[in-house]
């Protein structure tokens, strides 16, 4: 979406977010900024709260305090389907597809964003010819890599304003991961702001403009990928 | 051969109707996760609405058909989804079952109230009555049309689900609800559409059936069992499966009717009911033959655990119940006594669900079937009313319960409920229709006779019921406190944990089923009166389960409340049938009819309160009992009521109603508004005074002679006096310095749980750990209370704790 205000205004901003599951607080004041057209990587060990952060941004989980801002507007508490219709595309961890629908039907579900099915299919099949060959196959029977491609196709075809990605690399061969991140960087160049969550840093650091390290529900460090290497290893060593 | 083909055609046209109904069930269940027991009732309502529009209002056939099927029914379905079902999506399975069952019962009695069933409501055929003849087989137009409609429905559904975004979204929501939301889809709207479509399909099947023969509310409502049987073949999720199931069922029904001789029998056991029992048999077999149902890890855990009373409180409660019954029974004379007796008797049946549903979390819809078996057995074996025959009859029920439970062992939730429902229907047609067992359709259970003492009066019968209840309640408390009882609740709370730990729950489950059947059967064995076969049908069983849950099936007191409620409705009918309608005169439906509809609506309403009414009432009772002055005022009110009745200032029914109002309304009310001890309550004393003046004025000024026969006036007066009692109690409570008397809150905490009937106390962590250890689940129950990830839309700015 190009009607975002000048580059100084971040497209997605989390301000002092706290969030809980039931009575247990998982995020304790998270601040995060994703400027327009940039890729921000959110890294951290298991259970740090990365997925939770993403859920808050996507509207799946309402923060108990703090605010979510998109293009300067407060959207905390807005339902996920509203956000999705405003072209905030979220690809959740390891289950970005409907396993019992065919490839085509999966793509049809992306059309709630207002993009026509024809356009979605054209973009998806152009970028991923393998999906085109398997367009009537039930998505659950696709290989892991193909499933992730299908999920990504949605992010690609809808031309999202904001793209939220969780563990794109989970269970995939390095080659495919590289290909997918190539696409991420391509999407970013077209103006989409991307927040990507990863546990293993390697692949994503190549495409990220900024990286944030999260430990125990707090952002421990933010900076250029090269600057945060130390924090990152500390985080994984459990310091 | 001709006959065979002829009945094949007939079977297929039946199958077509079942298939349409079944596909509606599948559509709603798979998208909203709620199995609609009221599906048949939807179709029934549509059939009568069609009669209303087409016959009563003279709208031509097809416009009327379209109006009902494509507009009214879908709107109704969407409305039900929005108003009732959306609220219970995440509720425990028991609640979902009870709410839709209640909806079914409510619609059934609503239809009976609107369209009296003693006159026929023929709607006429939908098409001209011609026929086609191919190779000697006669194909009536009507039949062909039905088959054609079914094919059209199949194609329509296929197109919907494959080729429209709505249809694909309906399948997507089954796969992953939150992912659909992340795509911009709206699961709630999808569910609403699926209920609209489901209701439309129910309407088609209902109207088609009505066109075959004039609709009967009960028959149409329960024809849905055929749809269940068909839908279960597709595991409730597959449309082709449902169609296949419908064909098998339609042909089976048709061939049985064709080839089973009308006088077929095994010995003296008549098989004439078999054709009508076929759907139930098929339902049972298909359910039992299902591949292992996967245990779902996210099985809902009840939000609040109901406490267990000590054996002593249970014993005291039992004593209070027996003495109280004696007091009330001695007040109420002659023809009214059986009604009271019956209310308590229903309590006996609802309490049979306490171990099964309350402790073990399983639903049975066949309790009155067991009662019926108990009654039949007693009539056969215990002509002299011997206690030995009672024991034998109870034993038989336990055995039957175990036999039903055995094949159903793997089943839970909806499937178990359906299996028991099919057992109930099976018995209706195969057992309770045996003319050798129920001569002339009635069976007379001899009164209990112990050592020459015979329960031959209504009062003695009432006391037998009360004592039986007291004994059973104590046995249940004993069992609940045993290791076995803890195993039951573990089975309910965490079947997955039980399975992973390798606990063998077979004997537990069979045992609890047998126990439940035995208790329900005991009610039949000691009933000491006669029954007609309808008393043991599915409808009364549904009402029993419904009101047990409404009262609060987790505790004996709650179940008793449910049973009393159920027994109250006939009392209400008899009270209100006798004289003028009073203030209810402005309502066009007579009060007696309103009363028949009420249980269903109560059941629907409890969807918002899964713990049952009793636990709420119990909580307020506790604060009332802890306040000595307030209890004294309540006791005085009771005494005044009792003396007034003794001196015949008020009638027996007024006394009875007054007792109920105090027990169920005044006392809970006082408990819930009592101020903490020592707080200034000048305002409340003023309120009490004003109430008193108001009540005295009304009592003194109004023209008694003309008004006293009006029930509406009596109710008004009772409410006014209830207000007086409540406000006096609250006023007095604060006037006494409880701390000074040593009755303050501190000491109250040490007093043993005052809930005499065993509802209300929160289970402590220590209890839970003890239970866990008892069954080797160490640590399993000791987990933090985790909420769901539902979006709660808390806007920013809410301050919650600190980091
Ligand atoms: N639905 C839930 N209910 C309760 N607690 C949850 C829920 N989801 C996550 N949590 C808890 O919140 C914490 C953060 O979880 P989250 O999924 O955000 O971590 P993560 O950083 O994404 O980890 P991973 O790298 O393993 O995916 C964890 O301790 C987890 O146990
Ligand atoms: Mg995660």
């Amino acid at each position: 979406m190009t009607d975002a205000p000048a580059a100084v205004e971040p497209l997605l901003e989390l301000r002092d977010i706290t969030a809980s599951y039931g009575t247990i607080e998982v995020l304790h004041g998270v601040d995060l900024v994703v400027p327009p057209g940039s890729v921000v990587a959110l890294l951290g060990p298991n259970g740090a709260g990365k997925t939770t952060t993403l859920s808050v941004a996507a509207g799946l989980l309402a923060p108990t305090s703090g605010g979510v801002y998109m293009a300067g507007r407060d959207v905390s508490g807005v339902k996920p389907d509203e956000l999705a219709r405003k072209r905030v595309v979220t690809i959740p961890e390891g289950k970005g597809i409907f396993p019992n629908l065919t490839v085509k039907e999966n793509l049809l579900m992306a059309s709630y964003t207002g993009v026509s099915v024809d356009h979605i299919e054209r973009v998806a099949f152009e970028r991923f010819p393998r999906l085109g060959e398997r367009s009537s196959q039930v998505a659950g029977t696709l290989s892991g890599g193909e499933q992730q491609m299908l999920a990504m196709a949605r992010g690609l075809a809808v031309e999202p304003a904001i793209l939220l990605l969780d563990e794109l690399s989970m269970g995939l061969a390095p080659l495919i991961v590289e290909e997918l991140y190539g696409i991420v960087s391509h999407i970013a160049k077209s103006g989409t702001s991307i927040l990507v969550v990863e546990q293993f840093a390697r692949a994503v650091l190549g495409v990220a403009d900024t990286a944030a390290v999260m430990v125990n529900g707090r952002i421990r460090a933010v900076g250029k990928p090269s600057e945060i290497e130390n924090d990152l290893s500390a985080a994984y060593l459990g310091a | 051969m001709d006959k065979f083909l002829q009945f094949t055609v007939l079977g297929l046209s039946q199958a077509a109707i079942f298939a349409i109904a079944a596909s509606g069930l599948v559509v709603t269940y798979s998208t909203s996760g709620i199995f609609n027991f009221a599906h048949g009732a939807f179709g029934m309502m549509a059939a009568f609405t069609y009669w209303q529009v087409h016959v009563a209002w003279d709208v031509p056939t097809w416009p009327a058909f379209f109006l009902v099927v494509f507009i009214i029914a879908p709107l109704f379905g969407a409305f039900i989804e929005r108003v009732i079902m959306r609220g219970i999506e995440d509720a425990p399975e028991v609640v979902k079952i009870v709410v839709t069952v209640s909806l079914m019962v409510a619609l059934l009695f609503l239809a009976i109230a609107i369209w009296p069933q003693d006159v026929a409501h023929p709607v006429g055929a939908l098409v001209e009555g011609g026929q086609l003849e191919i190779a000697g087989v006669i194909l009536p137009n009507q039949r062909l049309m039905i088959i054609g409609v079914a094919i059209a429905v199949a194609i329509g559904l296929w197109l919907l689900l494959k080729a429209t975004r709505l249809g694909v979204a309906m399948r997507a929501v089954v796969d992953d609800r939150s992912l659909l939301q992340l795509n911009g889809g709206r699961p709630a709207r999808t569910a609403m559409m699926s209920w609209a479509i489901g209701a439309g399909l129910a309407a088609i099947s209902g109207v088609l059936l009505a066109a075959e023969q004039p609709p009967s509310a009960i028959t149409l409502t329960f024809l849905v069992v055929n749809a269940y049987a068909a839908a279960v073949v597709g595991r409730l999720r597959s449309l082709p499966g449902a169609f296949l199931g419908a064909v098998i069922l339609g042909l089976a029904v048709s061939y049985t009717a064709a080839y089973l001789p009308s006088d077929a029998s095994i010995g003296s056991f008549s098989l004439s009911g078999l054709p009508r029992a076929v759907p139930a048999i098929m339902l049972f077999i298909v359910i039992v033959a299902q591949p292992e149902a996967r245990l779902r890890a996210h099985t809902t855990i009840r939000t609040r655990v109901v406490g267990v009373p000590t054996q002593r409180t249970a014993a005291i409660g039992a004593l209070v119940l027996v003495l109280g019954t004696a007091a009330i029974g001695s007040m109420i004379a002659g023809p009214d006594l059986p009604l009271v007796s019956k209310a308590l008797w229903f309590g006996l049946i609802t309490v049979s669900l306490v171990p099964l549903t309350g402790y073990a979390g399983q639903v049975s819809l066949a309790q009155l079937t067991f009662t019926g078996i108990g009654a039949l057995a007693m009539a056969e074996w215990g002509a002299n009313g011997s206690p030995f025959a009672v024991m034998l009859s109870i034993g038989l029920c336990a055995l039957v319960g175990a036999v039903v439970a055995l094949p159903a062992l793997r089943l839970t939730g909806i499937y178990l409920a359906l299996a028991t429902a099919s057992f109930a229907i099976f018995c209706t047609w195969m057992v309770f229709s045996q003319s050798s067992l129920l001569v002339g359709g009635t069976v007379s259970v001899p009164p209990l006779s112990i050592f020459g003492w015979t329960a031959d009066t209504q009062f003695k019968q009432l006391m037998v019921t009360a004592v039986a209840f007291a004994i059973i309640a104590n046995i249940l408390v004993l069992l609940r406190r045993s290791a076995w009882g803890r195993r039951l609740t573990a089975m309910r709370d965490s079947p997955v944990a039980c399975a992973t730990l390798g606990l063998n729950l077979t004997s537990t489950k069979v045992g609890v089923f047998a126990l439940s059947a035995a208790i329900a059967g005991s009610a039949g064995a000691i009933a000491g009166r006669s029954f007609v076969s309808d008393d043991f049908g599915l409808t009364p069983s549904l009402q029993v389960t419904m009101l047990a849950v409404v009262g609060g099936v987790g505790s004996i007191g709650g179940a008793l409340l449910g049973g009393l409620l159920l027994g109250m409705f006939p009392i209400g009918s008899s009270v209100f049938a006798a004289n003028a309608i009073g203030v209810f005169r402005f309502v066009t439906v007579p009060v007696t009819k309103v009363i028949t509809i009420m249980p269903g609506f109560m059941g629907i309403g409890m969807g918002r309160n899964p713990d049952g009414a009793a636990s709420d009432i119990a909580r307020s009772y506790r604060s009332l009992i802890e306040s000595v002055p307030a209890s004294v005022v309540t006791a005085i009110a009771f005494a005044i009521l009792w003396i007034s009745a003794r001196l015949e200032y008020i009638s027996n029914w007024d006394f009875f109603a007054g007792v109920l109002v105090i027990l169920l309304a005044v006392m809970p009310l006082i408990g819930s508004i009592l101020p903490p001890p020592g707080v200034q309550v000048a305002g409340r004393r003023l309120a009490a005074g004003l109430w008193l003046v108001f009540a005295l004025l009304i009592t003194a000024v109004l023209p008694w002679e003309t008004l006293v026969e009006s029930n509406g006036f009596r109710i008004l007066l009772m409410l006014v006096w209830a207000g007086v009692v409540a406000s006096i109690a609250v006023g007095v409570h604060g006037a006494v310095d409880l701390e000074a008397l040593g009755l303050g809150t501190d000491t109250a905490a040490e007093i043993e749980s005052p809930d005499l009937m065993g509802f209300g106390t929160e289970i402590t962590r220590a209890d839970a750990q003890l239970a866990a250890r008892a069954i080797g689940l160490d640590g399993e129950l000791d987990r933090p209370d985790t909420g769901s990830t539902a979006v709660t839309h808390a806007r920013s700015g809410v301050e919650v704790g600190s980091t």
Side-chain angles (χ1 to χ4, degrees):
Chain A
M1 298 290 263
T2 47
D3 60 348
V8 280
E9 179 103 71
L11 209 51
L12 169 65
E13 186 182 0
L14 304 181
R15 281 189 210 153
D16 199 18
I17 297 283
T18 62
S20 325
Y21 293 108
T23 52
I24 299 168
E25 192 175 273
V26 174
L27 300 182
H28 322 284
V30 170
D31 290 294
L32 198 66
V33 167
V34 183
S38 69
V39 179
V40 174
L42 182 59
L43 309 167
N46 283 119
K50 307 178 299 288
T51 300
T52 309
T53 308
L54 212 69
S55 306
V56 169
L60 282 174
L61 181 69
T64 44
S65 75
V68 182
Y69 295 83
M70 286 181 183
R73 267 162 297 178
D74 184 358
V75 296
S76 12
V78 173
K79 289 186 200 167
D81 45 60
E82 286 304 328
L83 292 178
R85 285 168 191 234
K86 297 279 178 325
R87 301 212 187 170
V88 177
V89 168
T90 310
I91 297 177
E93 190 173 5
K95 44 172 191 172
I97 57 152
F98 299 101
N100 288 311
L101 305 189
T102 65
V103 169
K104 275 188 152 195
E105 288 167 342
N106 263 283
L107 294 175
L108 174 62
M109 289 294 94
S111 69
Y112 284 105
T113 44
V115 182
S116 82
V117 192
D118 291 341
H119 179 78
I120 297 172
E121 284 183 5
R122 190 155 37 77
V123 173
F125 296 156
E126 219 162 73
R127 192 67 193 73
F128 304 108
R130 264 154 82 183
L131 292 181
E133 292 159 22
R134 292 168 165 71
S135 66
S136 318
Q137 191 172 329
V138 175
T141 62
L142 294 171
S143 77
E146 288 162 348
Q147 293 190 5
Q148 203 58 281
M149 286 175 193
L150 179 55
M152 273 300 278
R154 185 158 65 91
L156 198 63
V158 164
E159 288 160 23
I162 298 170
L163 180 59
L164 306 169
L165 293 169
D166 199 351
E167 309 254 353
L168 204 54
S169 64
M170 198 161 73
L172 299 182
L175 218 60
I176 298 179
V177 175
E178 215 157 280
E179 185 187 346
L180 289 173
Y181 275 115
I183 295 166
V184 168
S185 126
H186 172 81
I187 297 175
K189 288 208 180 75
S190 70
T192 301
S193 311
I194 303 178
L195 176 61
V196 28
V197 162
E198 275 289 356
Q199 254 193 71
F200 298 105
R202 297 283 157 262
V204 70
L205 285 181
V207 301
D209 301 305
T210 314
V213 180
M214 176 173 246
V215 183
N216 285 335
R218 287 193 182 81
I219 302 285
R220 151 92 51 114
V222 186
K224 293 241 174 316
S226 53
E227 298 166 7
I228 56 135
E229 295 271 9
N230 283 338
D231 296 285
L232 203 55
S233 40
Y236 285 110
L237 290 173
Chain B
M1 196 61 201
D2 268 3
K3 184 178 175 190
F4 178 76
L5 287 176
Q6 209 62 65
F7 276 91
T8 304
V9 174
L10 178 68
L12 286 178
S13 79
Q14 292 279 301
I17 296 179
F18 301 158
I20 296 168
S23 55
L25 263 183
V26 170
V27 167
T28 49
Y29 179 69
S30 58
T31 33
S32 69
I34 295 173
F35 186 84
N36 185 13
F37 273 94
H39 193 68
F42 280 21
M44 180 270 301
M45 288 298 278
F48 282 104
T49 309
Y50 175 72
W51 176 88
Q52 190 71 36
V53 174
H54 176 51
V55 180
W57 296 338
D58 257 344
V59 176
T61 304
W62 289 108
F65 184 83
F66 278 90
L67 181 68
V68 170
V69 166
F70 290 98
I71 297 173
I72 298 178
L75 284 178
F76 180 71
F79 172 78
I80 294 288
E81 194 280 334
R82 183 68 194 83
V83 177
I84 301 173
M85 302 307 161
R86 196 168 294 183
I88 59 167
E89 236 158 41
D90 300 319
E93 196 81 38
V94 177
V95 170
K96 291 184 187 174
I97 293 171
V98 167
V99 168
T100 59
V101 163
S102 306
L103 181 63
M104 164 183 188
V105 174
L107 290 177
L108 174 62
F109 285 108
L110 189 65
I112 293 174
I114 302 175
W115 296 285
Q117 297 295 299
D118 42 8
V119 287
H121 296 83
V123 300
L126 288 168
V127 288
E128 296 284 309
Q131 60 187 39
L132 237 65
E133 201 179 322
I134 300 170
V137 183
I138 296 166
L139 304 170
N141 283 350
Q142 182 84 7
R143 298 261 143 76
L144 291 176
M145 187 267 307
I146 291 175
I147 295 174
V149 171
I151 293 172
V153 164
I155 295 173
L157 280 177
W158 189 82
L159 284 176
L160 172 79
L161 292 175
K162 287 284 176 186
T164 69
R165 191 168 75 177
L166 171 67
V168 176
M170 282 165 66
R171 288 159 52 216
V173 89
V174 180
D175 263 10
D176 191 335
R177 190 185 170 83
S178 80
L179 182 60
L180 180 63
Q181 267 186 309
L182 289 176
N183 271 280
R186 292 179 174 146
R189 200 161 297 179
T190 314
M192 197 166 175
M193 287 304 293
S194 78
W195 276 76
I197 294 167
L201 292 168
I204 297 179
S205 58
V207 175
L208 288 181
L209 277 169
E212 295 263 281
Q213 61 191 72
S216 129
I218 291 195
T219 317
L220 273 183
T221 301
F222 287 111
L223 260 174
V224 74
V225 174
N226 305 18
Y228 300 157
V232 169
V233 172
R235 308 200 65 191
L236 300 179
R237 291 188 184 277
S238 147
L239 283 172
F243 271 78
L244 174 69
V247 170
I248 296 172
L249 179 62
L251 293 177
V253 170
S254 185
Y255 294 150
T256 325
Y259 294 108
L260 189 80
S262 58
D263 56 355
S265 65
I266 302 172
S268 65
F269 189 81
S270 160
L271 291 179
S272 60
L274 191 60
R276 308 177 82 166
V278 165
I281 296 172
M282 171 159 155
L283 179 57
F284 193 83
I285 292 175
V286 174
I287 290 176
V288 168
Q290 288 232 353
E292 186 94 34
R294 253 176 302 145
L295 286 171
R296 278 168 302 158
H298 58 270
T299 308
T300 328
I301 293 164
R302 281 175 59 99
T303 41
R304 189 142 41 83
V305 183
V306 178
V308 193
T310 62
Q311 205 65 55
R312 210 190 78 192
T313 44
I316 294 173
L319 195 66
V320 169
L321 178 82
V322 171
L323 293 180
T325 308
I328 292 177
S330 66
M331 297 295 304
I332 288 174
D336 295 335
L337 208 49
L339 289 176
V340 179
S341 190
K342 204 171 164 187
L344 191 60
W345 180 79
F346 270 121
L348 208 52
I349 303 176
T350 45
V351 95
S352 72
L353 285 165
V354 168
L356 187 66
T357 310
Y359 301 164
Q362 311 291 335
V363 178
S364 158
L365 300 176
Q367 290 315 93
L368 274 164
T369 306
F370 295 118
T371 305
I373 293 173
L376 288 189
M378 185 66 188
E380 284 293 305
W381 299 333
N384 52 1
S386 88
F388 180 66
V390 172
M391 286 301 155
L392 217 57
S393 310
I394 294 176
L396 174 71
C397 290
L399 194 68
V400 174
V403 169
V404 174
L406 259 183
L409 265 187
R410 296 176 296 110
L411 307 176
T412 51
I414 186 70
Y415 287 111
L416 186 64
L418 281 175
T420 55
S422 62
F423 174 67
I425 296 170
F426 174 80
C427 288
T428 298
W429 296 121
M430 298 304 288
V431 178
F432 301 128
S433 63
Q434 296 292 332
S435 52
S436 56
L437 293 176
L438 290 92
V439 183
T442 61
V443 59
S444 177
V445 181
L448 186 64
S449 173
I450 305 174
F451 305 127
W453 180 93
T454 306
D456 47 9
T457 66
Q458 292 295 349
F459 181 72
K460 286 181 185 169
Q461 187 55 47
L462 175 68
M463 292 319 293
V464 167
T465 314
V467 171
F469 187 94
I471 293 171
I472 287 169
N474 273 280
I475 293 176
L476 283 180
V477 171
L478 194 69
L479 284 174
R480 176 63 183 79
R481 299 191 75 84
S482 68
W484 190 74
R486 296 195 180 110
R487 191 182 277 247
L488 280 184
T489 45
M491 184 166 86
R492 175 194 70 197
D493 290 344
S494 190
V496 178
C498 290
T500 32
L501 287 165
L503 281 182
N504 180 9
L505 294 175
T506 308
S507 59
T508 315
K509 214 165 170 183
V510 172
V512 71
F513 229 97
L515 173 67
S516 171
I519 297 174
S522 73
I526 62 143
R529 61 188 172 92
S530 40
F531 295 93
V532 297
S533 54
D534 278 355
D535 291 337
F536 307 133
L538 181 57
T539 317
S541 281
L542 293 178
Q543 289 183 317
V544 159
T545 305
M546 197 168 84
L547 283 167
V549 176
V550 167
V553 76
S555 68
I556 292 161
L560 175 63
L561 175 64
L564 289 178
L565 282 174
L566 191 57
M568 253 4 18
F569 294 112
I571 292 182
S573 291
S574 84
V575 170
F576 285 104
N579 48 10
I581 300 176
V583 288
F584 293 106
R585 221 185 290 268
F586 66 91
V587 183
T588 48
V589 183
V591 179
T592 45
K593 283 189 175 173
V594 173
I595 287 171
T596 60
I597 304 169
M598 259 161 50
F601 282 104
M602 288 179 67
I604 297 170
M606 64 68 61
R608 313 269 168 210
N609 180 18
D611 291 317
S615 71
D616 284 343
I617 295 179
R619 233 167 305 136
S620 0
Y621 259 70
R622 212 172 318 146
S623 35
L624 173 66
I625 293 174
E626 280 169 12
S627 157
V628 176
S631 316
V632 170
V633 171
T634 323
I636 292 174
F638 265 123
I640 293 176
L641 205 61
W642 191 74
I643 293 169
S644 318
R646 266 270 105 117
L647 300 178
E648 303 200 351
Y649 290 145
I650 57 175
S651 79
N652 286 337
W653 278 127
D654 291 340
F655 169 71
F656 191 68
V659 169
L660 283 181
V661 167
I662 292 184
L663 280 178
L664 298 181
V666 178
M667 295 177 67
L669 180 74
I670 298 173
S672 62
I673 59 175
L674 274 184
V679 170
Q680 261 306 319
V681 284
R684 288 176 202 268
R685 259 183 266 171
L686 184 67
L690 288 178
W691 266 113
L692 191 61
V693 172
F694 180 51
L696 287 174
L697 269 181
I698 282 201
T699 317
V701 168
L702 286 176
W704 274 86
E705 290 69 27
T706 51
L707 280 174
V708 79
E709 278 312 302
S710 147
N711 280 318
F713 176 71
R714 281 196 228 166
I715 290 172
L716 191 71
L717 202 65
M718 212 172 280
L719 290 178
V720 169
W721 277 104
V724 174
V725 175
S727 43
I728 291 180
V730 174
V732 169
H733 168 79
V736 184
D737 186 1
L738 290 172
E739 305 288 2
L741 289 175
L743 286 165
T745 36
D746 287 349
T747 38
E750 287 163 26
I751 297 171
E752 207 175 351
S753 161
D755 51 332
L756 297 179
M757 295 309 292
F759 31 71
T761 338
E762 305 273 326
I763 200 163
T764 64
R765 206 169 186 72
D767 280 340
Q769 276 161 354
L770 194 68
R773 231 169 294 134
I775 54 168
L777 272 177
D778 246 350
E780 166 56 35
L781 296 172
D782 180 17
R783 75 191 136 208
D785 177 21
T786 51
S788 69
T789 55
V791 183
T792 39
H793 310 301
R795 282 252 157 203
S796 56
V798 185
E799 286 294 323
V800 180
S802 56
T803 53

